[in-house]
């Protein structure tokens, strides 16, 4: 009995387990920090726009995110799976093909999402959301998809390569930059 407990305790201090725990801590910490920065961003934007205007903006953003998720093929999942397999078998060609296909699919989904938003923004905002004035906001916000299409495949590659600390720091830095970009014009008035 003592031996089994000692083995389990020794396993807790195993280098591999410590590495997984550290990577998990980095990613969890960055997720929490991103949420805190996002909350600050909501507060700044709401204060600047007012509750009613912020509500319309939130509707526009949520609509675009819904369409993107609806068309999305969760590229990061299969990129992670096949890139990890390619790395394990040391197959550089498969790894490169996986990353290229991930980027290609992400780009296609982003472009298709933008076109779909443009096609349905006016009828959807009028008939479903009962807010016809948010259609231009939906179309404008959909353009952000054209600048974020690399995120899923890049994050998957960083995870497979074990670059969790970089991924965590970048996540927080990107959230902080968004906050600065939103807060600067709001504070400048």
């Amino acid at each position: 009995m003592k031996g089994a407990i000692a083995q389990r305790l020794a396993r807790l201090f195993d280098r591999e387990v410590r590495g997984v725990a550290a990577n998990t801590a980095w990613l969890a910490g960055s997720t929490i920090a991103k949420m805190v920065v996002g909350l600050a961003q909501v507060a700044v934007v709401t204060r600047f726009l007012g509750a009613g205007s912020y509500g319309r903006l939130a509707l526009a953003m949520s609509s675009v995110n819904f369409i993107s998720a609806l068309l999305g093929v969760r590229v990061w999942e299969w990129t992670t799976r096949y890139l990890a397999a390619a790395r394990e078998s040391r197959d550089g060609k498969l790894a490169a093909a996986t990353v290229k296909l991930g980027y290609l699919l992400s780009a296609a989904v982003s472009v298709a999402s933008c076109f779909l938003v443009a096609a349905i923004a006016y009828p959807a905002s009028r008939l479903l959301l009962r807010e016809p004035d948010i259609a231009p906001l939906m179309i404008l916000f959909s353009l952000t998809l054209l600048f974020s299409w690399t995120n899923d495949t890049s994050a998957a590659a960083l995870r497979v390569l074990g670059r969790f600390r970089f991924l965590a720091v970048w996540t927080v830095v990107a959230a902080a930059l968004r906050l600065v970009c939103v807060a600067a014009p709001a504070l400048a008035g």
Side-chain angles (χ1 to χ4, degrees):
M1 182 71 169
K2 271 180 142 177
I5 292 172
Q7 286 177 341
R8 286 184 182 166
L9 287 175
R11 177 85 170 116
L12 287 176
F13 298 102
D14 180 74
R15 182 176 181 199
E16 186 177 326
V17 172
R18 284 194 324 263
V20 169
N23 292 339
T24 302
W26 275 102
L27 293 181
S30 72
T31 299
I32 292 167
K34 181 181 172 184
M35 290 165 62
V36 168
V37 171
L39 184 61
Q41 184 175 323
V42 167
V44 168
V45 173
T46 303
R47 185 162 178 87
F48 179 70
L49 293 178
S53 293
Y54 178 76
R56 286 188 286 285
L57 177 63
L59 268 174
M61 293 168 48
S62 297
S63 300
V64 171
N65 289 336
F66 173 76
I67 290 169
S68 178
L70 189 65
L71 294 183
V73 290
R74 298 179 63 101
V75 171
W76 70 271
E77 289 179 355
W78 66 261
T79 300
T80 301
R81 177 181 176 199
Y82 291 107
L83 189 56
R87 186 167 189 241
E88 183 72 26
S89 65
R90 301 190 187 280
D91 187 344
K93 288 182 180 181
L94 178 59
T98 300
V99 170
K100 287 177 186 176
L101 184 58
Y103 284 135
L104 181 65
L105 281 174
S106 292
V109 166
S110 294
V111 169
S113 295
C114 286
F115 279 118
L116 183 59
V117 168
I120 69 168
Y122 285 96
S125 65
R126 190 177 70 252
L127 300 172
L128 297 175
L129 303 175
R130 307 265 189 231
E131 291 283 344
D133 59 325
I134 69 166
L137 288 174
M138 290 170 64
I139 293 169
L140 185 61
F141 185 71
S142 73
L143 297 177
T144 64
L145 299 174
L146 300 177
F147 297 98
S148 61
W149 61 269
T150 60
N151 292 353
D152 286 346
T153 299
S154 297
L158 288 169
R159 284 185 199 105
V160 169
L161 296 173
R163 304 293 191 250
F164 294 97
R165 185 178 301 176
F166 176 82
L167 183 59
V169 170
W170 174 248
T171 298
V172 175
V173 167
L177 287 173
R178 277 192 301 276
L179 177 60
V180 168
C181 290
V182 166
L187 295 175

